[in-house]
Amino acid sequence: IGSNGNNLILRANGGTRMILTHTGNVGIATTSPQATLQVSGSFIVSTSAQNTTPTLYVGTNGNIGIGTASPAQKLSVAGVMGRFGNIW
């Protein structure tokens, strides 16, 4: 843990892993986040720590998986989908 001016920085193995800027932006695997939360690389959102199937997965190739960690298309959904209203 360190600081750079007004920023809080978490380092590991000689590199910056996470930064909290003085403006409130958080960057994971990036040193200059341009949004409230910016992640460089793939990430998983899960409903529990023990869940082996992610609720939401975003890959580095831009593919998004809902209920799958290996989306083959821009949007892959594992399970039953429902819709409400019109799809345009």
Side-chain angles (χ1 to χ4, degrees):
I1 298 179
S3 66
N4 157 349
N6 294 324
N7 299 327
L8 177 65
I9 301 171
L10 298 174
R11 295 184 178 97
N13 296 324
T16 298
R17 302 297 178 225
M18 188 167 81
I19 187 167
L20 172 60
T21 69
H22 67 281
T23 60
N25 291 349
V26 176
I28 299 174
T30 180
T31 57
S32 55
Q34 301 300 306
T36 303
L37 175 62
Q38 183 174 345
V39 178
S40 178
S42 62
F43 69 91
I44 295 173
V45 176
S46 184
T47 56
S48 73
Q50 291 77 32
N51 192 347
T52 57
T53 303
T55 303
L56 175 70
Y57 173 87
V58 179
T60 56
N61 61 358
N63 289 358
I64 298 170
I66 298 174
T68 178
S70 54
Q73 305 296 322
K74 287 296 175 189
L75 176 62
S76 295
V77 179
V80 178
M81 291 190 331
R83 75 169 181 85
F84 299 95
N86 296 325
I87 297 178
W88 302 100

